[in-house]
Amino acid sequence: MIRFLTAGESHGPGLVTIVEGLPKGLQIGTDDFAAELARRRRGYGRGGRMKIEQDELEILGGVRHGRTLGSPVAVVIRNTEWENWSQIMSVEGDGAGKKVTRPRPGHADMAGMIKYDTDDARDILERASARETAARTVAGTLARRLLGEVGIDVLSQVVAIGDVRVELPPPADRDAIEASEVRCPDPDASARMMAAIDAATEAKDTLGGLVEVAAHGVPVGIGSHVHHDRRLDGLLAGAVMSIPGIKGVEIGSGFEVATGPGSMGHDEIRTDRTRMTNRAGGIEGGMSNGEVILVRAAMKPISTLMQPLQTVDMTTGEPAQAVRERSDVCAVPAAGVVAEQMVALVLAREVQRKFGGDTIEDLVEAVSRYRARIGS
Ligand SMILES: Cc1cc2nc3c(=O)[nH]c(=O)nc-3n(C[C@H](O)[C@H](O)[C@H](O)COP(=O)(O)O)c2cc1C
């Protein structure tokens, strides 16, 4: 089954992703990874780094002649700015003694400094940085490719930035979403979101927001009710919550139905086994129920502010202003792309768990046979 690890620091020489358990024969190339990474880099409100980051990629293993071999796939994303960071992040030496001693509220900095017994927050923040989600995007690209082979499509949209919020049908129109600089397919809301980001930038402040991820084409019965760690809703919530800055995850209309009566809280079943509504977000009893899977995630405002928050200097114990690292004003559109990757990784793993297959042909055949049996 698919599992993946990433290694590397934000400003180190590169980020490495190793994805294990993929079937043989999945068509993939450097351009596929580059296209997904480009989607993650985009988005109104992102900082200067995104303009510099070119995501120089190399596939180091697991792919031959454009197809996976069934062995671990290893990919490195090189840091094109490494020259500027080679001293601060050098493997040997002491980094010329320049330490980050003022932890930023809202980041891993302070807890990490105490836990790992260091007075240099860089030892922590370099790995805690959301730059790591670029490496996850590599794994997610492979998961999406696998899902595509069995008729499952995952996409996302932004439905709130700051207090600009819009009610939309589940994400489905990829072109309209990608045409928007904030990945919101409603042009009016999109313009208001961009204005909100401009205002936050002007005020030296930051914004969070809400993203929605939809998985189309998931057959009934992915995940299971039999154990806590096989429930699809639990797996999805954990995976999406693991994205830096995500503080809330909802499946379907989870929070809304909690305050209404049961008669308005479920999805009645037609004779053809489809549903009249989709409040459950496509998951009941820890299993997909054949409807579109809907996951909503809330991202807190970016923690690094250009008007720094109050903190403590960890070496002197004196009050101080948090250190300012180059930073995004709003990363909600990018977080949506990362949420797609995390959802895709969970679904790909659960599809593989159910259907197996050492080759992509075996997997596709098993899924087709099952779809024929259940009539979906
Ligand atoms: C794609 C993406 C980009 C981000 N960019 C920044 C950034 O530029 N500056 C920043 O302070 N936080 C950024 N964040 C958010 C931080 O990583 C996050 O606030 C921090 O890790 C602490 O969040 P946590 O408590 O959920 O771990 C970004 C998050 C994501 C998903």
Side-chain angles (χ1 to χ4, degrees):
M1 277 188 314
I2 293 181
R3 60 189 183 122
F4 76 100
L5 281 176
T6 71
E9 277 64 44
S10 178
H11 297 99
L15 288 171
V16 179
T17 310
I18 296 182
V19 188
E20 184 187 65
L22 291 160
K24 181 178 188 294
L26 205 58
Q27 210 173 5
I28 201 82
T30 311
D31 289 351
D32 299 308
F33 296 122
E36 282 298 292
L37 286 164
R39 285 208 308 131
R40 178 196 159 278
R41 262 199 321 270
R42 279 188 52 219
Y44 202 72
R46 303 223 58 197
R49 181 159 194 199
M50 293 306 115
K51 296 190 184 75
I52 315 166
E53 264 183 15
Q54 287 306 312
D55 292 326
E56 208 177 280
L57 283 162
E58 190 182 353
I59 300 174
L60 299 175
V63 180
R64 183 164 186 246
H65 302 157
R67 289 188 182 270
T68 55
L69 290 168
S71 53
V73 173
V75 176
V76 60
I77 309 172
R78 296 215 164 76
N79 177 5
T80 51
E81 278 199 288
W82 173 236
E83 232 174 72
N84 303 335
W85 288 88
S86 55
Q87 199 175 359
I88 295 174
M89 293 302 293
S90 65
V91 175
E92 282 138 8
D94 63 4
K98 222 178 151 201
K99 290 179 178 173
V100 179
T101 58
R102 293 169 285 146
R104 299 159 305 164
H107 276 286
D109 301 4
M110 196 193 78
M113 289 168 92
I114 296 169
K115 178 177 165 70
Y116 291 94
D117 195 16
T118 173
D119 60 356
D120 188 357
R122 191 165 295 288
D123 289 345
I124 308 302
L125 67 86
E126 282 286 334
R127 179 63 187 164
S129 160
R131 174 76 185 136
E132 188 267 344
T133 60
R136 294 193 203 188
T137 300
V138 166
T141 306
L142 288 155
R144 294 169 72 94
R145 181 50 60 95
L146 181 146
L147 293 174
E149 293 289 331
V150 297
I152 297 173
D153 191 21
V154 181
L155 67 168
S156 74
Q157 66 192 6
V158 171
V159 290
I161 284 183
D163 62 2
V164 180
R165 187 167 180 173
V166 60
E167 293 291 332
L168 294 174
D173 185 347
R174 195 180 297 280
D175 290 344
I177 294 165
E178 300 300 344
S180 157
E181 286 198 67
V182 284
R183 308 194 66 257
C184 174
D186 178 313
D188 175 58
S190 181
R192 285 188 289 125
M193 287 172 185
M194 285 162 67
I197 293 170
D198 287 342
T201 310
E202 185 73 21
K204 294 188 174 1
D205 218 324
T206 62
L207 292 176
L210 292 173
V211 299
E212 286 175 352
V213 184
H216 299 267
V218 181
V220 177
I222 303 301
S224 177
H225 62 296
V226 302
H227 275 301
H228 66 95
D229 57 356
R230 291 193 52 196
R231 293 180 65 98
L232 188 59
D233 41 6
L235 295 170
L236 287 171
V240 173
M241 187 67 100
S242 79
I243 300 167
I246 299 298
K247 293 292 128 193
V249 180
E250 182 184 32
I251 309 285
S253 308
F255 286 99
E256 197 185 316
V257 298
T259 54
S263 55
M264 299 293 288
H266 303 284
D267 306 306
E268 291 182 89
I269 305 174
R270 299 189 187 98
T271 52
D272 67 358
R273 302 176 184 183
T274 63
R275 304 304 176 105
M276 297 179 188
T277 50
N278 187 19
R279 296 173 177 127
I283 302 176
E284 288 168 313
M287 290 173 276
S288 55
N289 66 9
E291 301 298 311
V292 175
I293 291 182
L294 280 176
V295 183
R296 195 172 292 123
M299 186 181 200
K300 69 181 178 182
I302 294 287
S303 321
T304 310
L305 274 70
M306 289 303 118
Q307 43 157 353
L309 300 173
Q310 185 69 29
T311 189
V312 59
D313 188 310
M314 297 288 274
T315 48
T316 64
E318 294 295 322
Q321 300 230 297
V323 68
R324 272 183 279 182
E325 286 269 309
R326 186 172 45 196
S327 195
D328 300 330
V329 172
C330 175
V332 176
V337 175
V338 179
E340 285 177 38
Q341 315 298 348
M342 295 311 293
V343 167
L345 280 156
V346 168
L347 290 176
R349 203 175 59 220
E350 293 310 304
V351 163
Q352 264 191 319
R353 189 202 298 268
K354 179 161 169 52
F355 298 103
D358 290 319
T359 69
I360 189 66
E361 291 79 10
D362 288 348
L363 177 71
V364 168
E365 196 184 313
V367 175
S368 303
R369 214 179 312 120
Y370 178 72
R371 284 195 191 272
R373 169 167 87 70
I374 66 172
S376 92

